[in-house]
Amino acid sequence: MERKAGMAGFVAVTVLLVLFAALLFGEIVLSGTDVDARELEEYYQEREQELSREIGEFLRKEGLENGGVTVTRVVEENGSRLYTITVHHGRIDCMDAAERDELLDRLQELNFADDRCSFTHKFLLDE
């Protein structure tokens, strides 16, 4: 009888140790994933800020100082990113359609190279 009680205690302790080890292993793996996700997010935030500065510089060279630039993103479950770059300036509102189209074509060249990202450029018009 004592032998069965000792064996049951041994099994219980072994099961608890295995569960503890599995939990600890899971935490280590997940914390590594959090670091990778955080590093990836920092990478994209830097690219987004760089893109916003680049577009602002482009607008200044075009005589559109103090133009508004908004970079928004949607991150899909698979990690792909859909960016919308919206540009606003009062002088863009006054341009005819051909001038706006030409400016938009040139703006669409401004993005960062990443296979997991797609970009849409548009103007915010006060019409």
Side-chain angles (χ1 to χ4, degrees):
M1 188 81 132
E2 283 182 32
R3 192 162 199 239
K4 285 185 181 183
M7 187 64 144
F10 175 75
V11 170
V13 169
T14 303
V15 167
L16 287 174
L17 286 174
V18 168
L19 288 173
F20 177 74
L23 184 64
L24 184 61
F25 179 74
E27 285 296 316
I28 290 169
V29 169
L30 288 177
S31 68
T33 303
D34 290 344
V35 170
D36 292 343
R38 187 174 36 239
E39 288 174 354
L40 187 61
E41 186 59 30
E42 288 173 4
Y43 164 80
Y44 280 116
Q45 285 180 358
E46 288 175 15
R47 300 292 77 75
E48 293 161 11
Q49 291 170 358
E50 192 176 299
L51 177 60
S52 185
R53 282 192 300 272
E54 191 177 326
I55 292 171
E57 185 177 314
F58 169 82
L59 293 173
R60 280 188 292 284
K61 288 180 181 176
E62 293 298 311
L64 302 169
E65 293 84 11
N66 300 317
V69 178
T70 305
V71 178
T72 57
R73 71 175 177 276
V74 174
V75 181
E76 300 287 345
E77 280 186 35
N78 65 4
S80 65
R81 291 169 177 255
L82 311 171
Y83 286 96
T84 302
I85 293 97
T86 306
V87 176
H88 179 266
H89 193 283
R91 286 192 41 214
I92 295 173
D93 295 344
C94 299
M95 293 178 177
D96 64 34
E99 291 173 312
R100 277 197 297 261
D101 288 344
E102 191 265 329
L103 182 62
L104 187 60
D105 287 343
R106 293 174 48 213
L107 273 170
Q108 289 173 335
E109 295 174 8
L110 302 175
N111 55 54
F112 53 88
D114 191 311
D115 293 339
R116 297 171 50 129
C117 299
S118 63
F119 298 85
T120 301
H121 297 70
K122 67 179 187 175
F123 296 125
L124 179 63
L125 301 174
D126 290 334
E127 292 184 69

